[in-house]
Amino acid sequence: MNAKVDTTALNRPVTRQTFDEVLVPTYAPAAMVPVRGAGLDLWDQAGKHYLDFTSGIAVAALGHCHPIVVEALTRQANTLWHLGNGYTNEPVLRLALALTEATFADRAFFCNSGAEANEAALKLARKHAHAKFGPHKSRIISCYQSFHGRTLFTVSVGGQSKYTEGFEPLPPMINHIIYNDIESARAAIDDDVCAVIVEPLQGEGGVVPGNKAFLQELRDLCTRTGALLIFDEVQSGMGRTGELFHYMSYGITPDILTSAKALGNGFPVAAMLTTHELAATLGVGSHGTTYGGNPMAATVALTVLETINQPAFLARVKEAGAKLRATMEKLIGDYPQVFREVRGAGLLLGLVVADAWTGRSKDIQKAAEANGMMVLIAGMDVVRLAPALIVSDQQIAEADRILRLSLDGLLKAA
């Protein structure tokens, strides 16, 4: 017999301990619980203020509760929420038009997450290769230390064994190359490869920028062998590096591009973008998703896209990115015992710890949080900064102040 529904649950007091009691322990969240946000400002249950330089892992590109996004969501919430896939809707049609007009793509497929977008891209690549060349052309090439999602397929493609241990047997015909290593790519990509998937800027793998020569070689090898080049721009896209999508910075065009995270500014939505020819591979019934591209998600995503994809907005992202990099380079110069370099692009930067601090990026994250600033890590050796794209010069200066205060405290305690 089912337990009686508690109609007072909405108002029941909850704390960080509640997480340990009722949620599957796939995460180890911070001790504080955020309850309210505006822009780059967050407040926790105790009323403590934080400067948010995570934007929900590069998701809230316009910051928390941006009024333009709130208005769009509210308007659509009072109009139409959801339809089954037997029907289309006006917001998703407008979103598809806007994305295809802004990119190389002709067609869009919408889903809920970056993992689903990458899953769709990989399925499309295999199906296209089977139809055009035969089933022998099935192998997928990815890079070590990449991240493409948490489904069994995408986590196997990711090339980080810590995410696949215990989930074997893994999907076959997936091989990995060394990121930015041209010879590794040449040795692996042959006529049996159906797809090469790569992040033009690795996020979870340590905020490592793609070398243009490497990415161009991947493009050339795919063209030569008939493989499809997939750019995973789940983290680097939607203005994060100062271009709408990072492939535009290189002048290298993929066959398929995936986007999520900032596309919805926190509302779950993702997209796979491709060409007319390739899209025709996925006919009616060959792939699908329940919530992808519903009116709510599409309305939010279109609002976010139209806000970000403006010359003045993107120019400011580049300006803020240069300011943040210069500020962090000065910090690194003043704390060489802690950090050895800053890398990344635009407003996605990684502070790489010095040898003496190997494995201690989490300590720096916790110290910053204690002093009122939220930062990310990318592995145990990189502190990752991904503030909202609306970050001000004053907030960059405040981030510098808090990081210095936090480093001084850690060094004093050492």
Side-chain angles (χ1 to χ4, degrees), residues 154-168:
T154 56
V155 81
S156 300
V157 171
Q160 298 193 56
S161 60
K162 64 183 178 181
Y163 295 134
T164 58
E165 291 173 358
F167 297 111
E168 297 86 356

Side-chain angles (χ1 to χ4, degrees), residues 52-266:
D52 182 6
F53 260 54
T54 72
S55 58
I57 315 183
V59 169
L62 298 179
H64 300 283
C65 301
H66 193 291
I68 294 177
V69 182
V70 171
E71 187 280 328
L73 179 61
T74 304
R75 172 170 29 88
Q76 189 59 46
N78 286 294
T79 306
L80 182 66
W81 278 41
H82 182 73
L83 294 164
N85 289 325
Y87 307 88
T88 189
N89 63 83
E90 292 181 344
V92 79
L93 297 175
R94 295 189 182 104
L95 176 59
L97 285 171
L99 279 169
T100 54
E101 288 169 356
T103 67
F104 73 94
D106 307 309
R107 300 279 183 148
F109 170 82
F110 295 106
C111 45
N112 313 313
S113 67
E116 282 185 277
N118 285 327
E119 185 102 5
L122 294 165
K123 286 179 68 176
L124 169 57
R126 276 204 171 152
K127 191 168 179 61
H128 172 263
H130 285 195
K132 187 171 183 179
F133 301 100
H136 71 281
K137 195 174 183 64
S138 299
R139 196 154 58 91
I140 292 167
I141 300 296
S142 179
C143 295
Y144 291 113
Q145 301 307 309
S146 62
F147 189 87
H148 301 294
R150 292 295 192 111
T151 67
L152 189 58
F153 194 6
T154 56
V155 81
S156 300
V157 171
Q160 298 193 56
S161 60
K162 64 183 178 181
Y163 295 134
T164 58
E165 291 173 358
F167 297 111
E168 297 86 356
L170 303 178
M173 300 295 287
I174 298 170
N175 296 122
H176 298 89
I177 60 176
I178 301 169
Y179 194 67
N180 282 335
D181 188 318
I182 289 176
E183 291 307 316
S184 179
R186 288 173 176 166
I189 301 172
D190 210 337
D191 289 337
D192 65 338
V193 172
C194 69
V196 176
I197 184 169
V198 64
E199 299 162 275
L201 170 58
Q202 281 194 335
E204 305 297 322
V207 194
V208 183
N211 180 279
K212 183 175 182 179
F214 171 72
L215 296 175
Q216 184 62 59
E217 185 66 16
L218 294 183
R219 174 67 279 172
D220 294 344
L221 288 167
C222 285
T223 301
R224 191 176 311 143
T225 61
L228 301 185
L229 179 61
I230 304 169
F231 273 5
D232 178 340
E233 294 231 33
V234 169
Q235 192 160 163
S236 64
M238 292 302 295
R240 176 57 56 182
T241 65
E243 302 286 351
L244 180 61
F245 289 104
H246 197 33
Y247 82 87
M248 298 169 177
S249 304
Y250 294 100
I252 300 169
T253 303
D255 299 296
I256 305 172
L257 181 144
T258 57
S259 176
K261 285 189 179 288
L263 181 59
N265 204 66

